Amino acid sequence: MRVVLIGPPGSGKGTQGTRLRDRLSLEYIATGNILRDAVARKSAAGLEAKPYLDRGQLVPDELVNRLVAELFSDPTRLTHFVMDGYPRTLAQAQAFDELLESHGLPLTAAIQFAIADEEVVRRLDGRRMCGNAECSAVYHMKNNPPAVPGVCDRCGSPLSQRLDDKENDAIWSRLRSYHQVTEELLDYYQKRGVLHRISAQQDIDLIHQQLVDITQESA
Ligand code: AP5
């Protein structure tokens, strides 16, 4: 199963992507997490990406495509996965298709998360993330709180607030990028016959079950 999640910031891609990983034993790949980790380690990729992340702008295609291609360089590693936040531009989608084709791994489904901008802003304000890169579980102070405040239920690591969730300007910049650039991917995947749409403004468990059904029926 090879699934791509497409949606604006705060639409629940991380929440649902990590649940799909746990339920269907998929690899979970989130380019936002990979980039934030590179920034924290101050690697060359991280230094290049940092100004874009801070402003809520898309990192150049060439850099993200390279980081994703590196993940697939060991052919035994990535065969069943859920992708969160990639591809995000037409150029990334085309590069990803070529990459998957070269490994003989056709895409199972691309799933669009539909949500109103106002709900996105409400959600990002209350979001808290597990700081353990192996876990990356996502919480919300009201909608989806951890059992113990500030501590991840899944792995016990401390939770924190993302820098680009603290700045209202960065949130709106991410939303604009989504509407101006990423939405054109919907047409691309529609034409390829792999696009599915779900409302991201439903109960978290309900959305999870819809995603499991779509993924299993498309496989
Ligand atoms: P990235 O990390 O991908 O962030 P994003 O797209 O802005 O998406 P988010 O992680 O903010 O939201 P989400 O949809 O995962 O929502 P979540 O599940 O957390 O990218 C960050 C940056 O990296 C970009 O700005 C860019 O600079 C760079 N980047 C990354 N990929 C790139 C690429 N391919 N190309 C170029 N640049 C790239 O949920 C949000 C909150 O809502 C949580 O608190 C959650 O608990 C709550 N929630 C979730 N579902 C529900 C629900 N159903 N009901 C109520 N609350 C809910």
Side-chain angles (χ1 to χ4, degrees):
M1 292 169 197
R2 290 169 283 280
V3 183
V4 165
L5 307 182
I6 303 171
S11 56
K13 305 181 299 293
T15 302
Q16 299 295 342
T18 50
R19 286 188 177 210
L20 266 191
R21 167 194 65 190
D22 296 344
R23 173 84 172 261
L24 301 178
S25 301
L26 304 176
E27 292 278 350
Y28 169 67
I29 305 162
T31 42
N33 292 349
I34 292 170
L35 289 163
R36 278 185 292 279
D37 179 57
V39 169
R41 287 187 290 104
K42 295 192 168 66
S43 68
L47 292 176
E48 187 181 340
K50 186 174 185 323
Y52 297 95
L53 268 102
D54 287 349
R55 292 195 293 264
Q57 292 172 349
L58 292 181
V59 166
D61 290 335
E62 182 277 324
L63 173 60
V64 189
N65 286 340
R66 180 158 40 87
L67 291 172
V68 170
E70 279 168 14
L71 297 174
F72 284 82
S73 56
D74 172 2
T76 60
R77 200 175 150 226
L78 276 181
T79 47
H80 297 284
F81 57 79
V82 52
M83 212 78 197
D84 164 5
Y86 181 91
R88 235 171 169 111
T89 66
L90 205 48
Q92 290 181 17
Q94 287 160 345
F96 193 45
D97 272 349
E98 278 174 29
L99 181 72
L100 291 182
E101 207 171 298
S102 71
H103 291 291
L105 300 170
L107 199 61
T108 308
I111 306 175
Q112 176 195 359
F113 284 47
I115 186 171
D117 288 358
E118 297 71 27
E119 173 66 9
V120 162
V121 176
R122 271 195 294 276
R123 283 189 188 180
L124 294 185
D125 194 42
R127 173 164 62 181
R128 297 295 179 272
M129 305 260 316
C130 175
N132 170 6
E134 298 293 314
C135 175
S136 306
V138 186
Y139 299 88
H140 190 278
M141 306 239 286
K142 274 198 215 139
N143 304 339
N144 182 26
V148 178
V151 180
C152 179
D153 292 345
R154 191 169 176 271
C155 73
S157 299
L159 305 181
S160 61
Q161 188 174 21
R162 272 170 46 176
L163 280 179
D164 59 350
D165 284 350
K166 289 183 182 166
E167 277 291 332
N168 224 29
D169 284 355
I171 292 177
W172 282 104
S173 170
R174 283 151 63 202
L175 268 170
R176 272 195 304 277
S177 283
Y178 178 75
H179 292 307
Q180 287 168 1
V181 181
T182 307
E183 270 179 352
E184 70 180 346
L185 288 189
L186 303 175
D187 196 35
Y188 177 81
Y189 284 120
Q190 175 82 53
K191 285 184 180 138
R192 299 211 26 219
V194 292
L195 185 69
H196 301 261
R197 186 178 192 269
I198 56 144
S199 163
Q201 291 187 234
Q202 308 177 79
D203 176 76
I204 290 176
D205 290 336
L206 206 64
I207 297 171
H208 172 67
Q209 194 50 51
Q210 290 172 2
L211 289 175
V212 171
D213 292 346
I214 291 171
T215 305
Q216 289 183 328
E217 282 162 18
S218 310

